[in-house]
Amino acid sequence: YDSVTSLGVQQSVWLGEHFAARGLRFARAVSGSLQRQANTLEAIMGRLPASPPMHVDPRLNEYDPASVLAAFGGGDEPGLRAAGDRRSYFAALRAALRAWASDAEMPGGGETWRAFGERITAAAREAGVGLERSDAVLLVTSGGVIGRLVADALGASAEAAIELNLQTRNTGITELVQGRSKSRLLSFNAVPHLELPGRAYAVTHS
């Protein structure tokens, strides 16, 4: 679960090359502490000239799907994944996420839906502290974090956040502009680096 495949590395390299071709420079680059997030950031930064130091912020980590499924879906997350039935896995995960989002408490004292939102919002906001308004910040995180940040920026529901989460593509680009009090969405889940001839096979979902 917490690893990057060879295809994932290639996707990340192409994304770094895409950023470089656009002349995009980041004032700050941050990933969560999950290995797949850190490795993705490293592969991207390896293709960018004069890239900034890479920072780690565990608040950008994904929610724990195994805990959510165990608490609200009655499911065995590793078993569902091992069975190789993606449809059943994501149906179970969607139902468990809905239950998690509607419950004020997490059985066993785990992270609540509200606490999840608060930690990722704080991480995203603090990533830009001390920078100029025009500076770009690269955050490498996971689908649940992205879906929640986008939904919150739009003032959308938990249901919308869950659906956005389950639509994210690996190394998809989402752009948010951080204002004084709220974020504004510019783009969601774009994969221009995978839309070149011969790369259709590399479009994958998280």
Side-chain angles (χ1 to χ4, degrees):
Y1 175 65
D2 191 19
S3 62
V4 180
T5 64
S6 57
L7 176 57
V9 172
Q10 181 64 77
Q11 291 167 329
S12 304
V13 167
W14 282 334
L15 180 54
E17 291 171 349
H18 168 76
F19 287 149
R22 285 181 56 195
L24 185 58
R25 300 293 180 266
F26 296 101
R28 188 169 291 158
V30 190
S31 77
S33 63
L34 296 176
Q35 194 63 49
R36 66 184 187 273
Q37 297 170 337
N39 289 349
T40 296
L41 180 56
E42 289 171 5
I44 294 170
M45 290 290 102
R47 289 300 190 274
L48 288 175
S51 57
M54 293 176 282
H55 300 278
V56 172
D57 187 340
R59 293 176 299 176
L60 291 173
N61 288 358
E62 183 66 287
Y63 58 80
D64 183 355
S67 295
V68 172
L69 276 166
F72 296 103
D76 171 21
E77 194 264 358
L80 284 168
R81 282 187 179 272
D85 184 350
R86 287 180 59 84
R87 184 180 297 274
S88 295
Y89 171 76
F90 283 107
L93 181 60
R94 178 182 280 105
L97 288 170
R98 288 170 174 166
W100 181 42
S102 65
D103 201 314
E105 302 295 332
M106 177 72 162
E111 184 175 49
T112 63
W113 175 259
R114 178 177 178 177
F116 170 60
E118 289 173 346
R119 75 163 161 90
I120 65 174
T121 298
R125 180 168 292 278
E126 290 175 27
V129 170
L131 300 180
E132 299 296 326
R133 291 187 63 181
S134 60
D135 284 340
V137 177
L138 176 63
L139 302 182
V140 174
T141 182
S142 299
V145 177
I146 295 168
R148 182 70 184 272
L149 289 173
V150 169
D152 289 351
L154 296 173
S157 64
E159 177 71 20
I162 292 165
E163 292 306 314
L164 290 167
N165 170 187
L166 299 179
Q167 294 301 317
T168 54
R169 296 181 286 193
N170 292 312
T171 65
I173 305 166
T174 293
E175 296 175 284
L176 292 164
V177 175
Q178 182 65 59
R180 287 195 176 92
S181 59
K182 62 180 296 184
S183 297
R184 178 166 54 89
L185 178 68
L186 289 184
S187 68
F188 171 69
N189 208 24
V191 287
H193 56 298
L194 304 180
E195 293 174 345
L196 299 176
R199 295 186 184 178
Y201 75 94
V203 178
T204 59
H205 289 76
S206 59

